[in-house]
Amino acid sequence: MGIRIIGTGSYLPPKVVTNDDIAKSLDTTDEWIFSHTGIHSRHVAEAGESTSTMAAKAAQRAMDAAGVKPEEIGLIVLATSTPDYNPFPSTACVVQGILGCTNAGAFDLQAACAGFIYALEQARGFVNFYPDKKALVIGAESLTRILDWSDRASCILFGDGAGAVVLANDEPPGVASLKTKAHTLLCADGKGAGFISRTGGTKDALPINPDTGVPMKGTPLLPELTLQGHDVFAFAVRTLSKVSRDLCELLGTKPEELDRVFAHQANARIIEATARRMKLPLEKFWLNLDTTANTSAASIPISLDQAVRAGQLVDGMKIVMVGFGAGLTFGGTYCVWPEL
Ligand code: UT7
């Protein structure tokens, strides 16, 4: 009984780009990339694919797994930093149209790589108040389309893909909210906004025509991704272990009682350092970024789906999902699978 994940799905585009492929045109090697990140290859969306099409495929698989029809979905929350359009219409609306979820409201949520944790919490609130409806929570990204492919320090890190879950509630309104309110931590630190950022928004004013006083069409600059790798690394290790420990403390459990940790897949060294800090064996952490690289908001739901389909995430397991990303954002959710 309660609010639970009743189906998972994921989609990775078929095209694979290996480190060796990248090394053909950049001064890098498979050895450097793998030893510094744990990444060997990444999936890349090709022509005809985009964040919405990948999201729709992952969501359809999650609905199939849950045995849910499109009309039963009351809300679609889609976490992404790489929407089809910039910024409207939302990619969630495009997905709603593709899937035929005619009874669903739909919106995008931008919390970078922690986006899925934030989106899950929004959807949990929704099914808590509308227990007769289901919610689709999706993380989907086409990060390879916003990278500077001449910057070896950042382009090697990211990949494309989508993951989704269906949430349902089989308890009356009110009961679930009392039971689950301490299960999630959503956090931010705007002082670190410069650690990972991308230009191309409305931060800078257009030049003003001195004769008319009216803004002129600006010269479009190519958006730039800025990444302070060392700062992000330190922040990630600190927050992943702190959020996981704080969640355990809130719930009166101990980290060593966790069966699995689904941490955002940014860098295997970040996950290894987190495991050391939490004094947990690395085997408890889901690791797939050797073949997916960092898929930002999609990384946690892709991991969940892979674990479910591999029989590695089964009912009753105590898990923590924990993420961090640009913003800075970070947060986590504790659950006794599949109950949130
Ligand atoms: O979802 C959040 C997104 N952001 C992240 O996850 C980033 C977190 N940070 C990291 O993962 C790591 O900081 C990186 C993988 C980005 C960098 O690893 P690092 O061990 O911190 O390397 P570094 O930045 O200290 O660079 C060491 C050297 C530099 O050369 P010099 O100045 O020592 O001569 C870099 O120019 O490695 C060089 N380098 C490379 N060499 C070969 C940087 N990128 C590459 C490359 N291939 N791809």
Side-chain angles (χ1 to χ4, degrees), residues 124-333:
R124 180 154 64 166
F126 176 80
V127 296
N128 185 40
F129 286 105
Y130 303 99
D132 55 324
K133 296 180 180 178
K134 313 274 188 285
L136 252 180
V137 188
I138 309 171
E141 303 281 8
S142 305
L143 289 151
T144 64
R145 296 205 174 146
I146 64 162
L147 298 175
D148 175 355
W149 281 99
S150 66
D151 176 18
R152 67 177 184 172
S154 60
C155 76
I156 52 144
L157 296 173
F158 300 97
D160 300 333
V165 302
V166 179
L167 276 199
N169 183 5
D170 46 21
E171 267 181 339
V175 177
S177 64
L178 291 174
K179 225 174 86 180
T180 62
K181 67 181 177 191
H183 287 203
T184 296
L185 291 173
L186 298 181
C187 319
D189 177 6
K191 293 265 189 307
F195 284 13
I196 324 172
S197 64
R198 185 170 182 265
T199 55
T202 55
K203 187 168 154 292
D204 299 319
L206 293 175
I208 300 285
N209 182 324
D211 298 328
T212 62
V214 174
M216 299 190 295
K217 190 173 190 300
T219 315
L221 293 173
L222 277 181
E224 269 179 29
L225 186 85
T226 313
L227 174 68
Q228 296 179 25
H230 285 265
D231 294 324
V232 177
F233 196 101
F235 153 75
V237 174
R238 218 171 40 242
T239 52
L240 289 181
S241 54
K242 180 166 170 21
V243 167
S244 305
R245 274 211 221 91
D246 287 353
L247 279 169
C248 289
E249 202 178 308
L250 272 171
L251 292 153
T253 183
K254 295 194 179 78
E256 54 268 32
E257 287 170 25
L258 292 173
D259 295 303
R260 279 211 181 280
V261 180
F262 291 88
H264 168 49
Q265 307 282 309
N267 185 322
R269 284 163 54 217
I270 291 175
I271 294 179
E272 285 158 13
T274 304
R276 278 196 299 277
R277 275 196 170 212
M278 291 180 68
K279 299 189 173 57
L280 290 181
L282 190 59
E283 294 69 47
K284 289 201 173 183
F285 287 72
W286 192 258
L287 264 175
N288 62 8
L289 85 177
D290 57 330
T291 55
T292 63
N294 179 346
T295 57
S296 190
S299 92
I300 292 175
I302 289 173
S303 300
L304 290 178
D305 184 50
Q306 289 179 341
V308 166
R309 286 171 200 266
Q312 300 278 317
L313 178 52
V314 295
D315 288 7
M317 276 188 167
K318 290 179 177 177
I319 70 161
V320 160
M321 306 173 213
V322 60
F324 69 92
L328 300 164
T329 54
F330 51 108
T333 294

Side-chain angles (χ1 to χ4, degrees), residues 82-101:
T82 48
D84 276 17
Y85 300 91
N86 187 10
F88 53 81
S90 73
T91 305
C93 279
V94 180
V95 170
Q96 193 252 24
I98 297 172
L99 296 175
C101 296

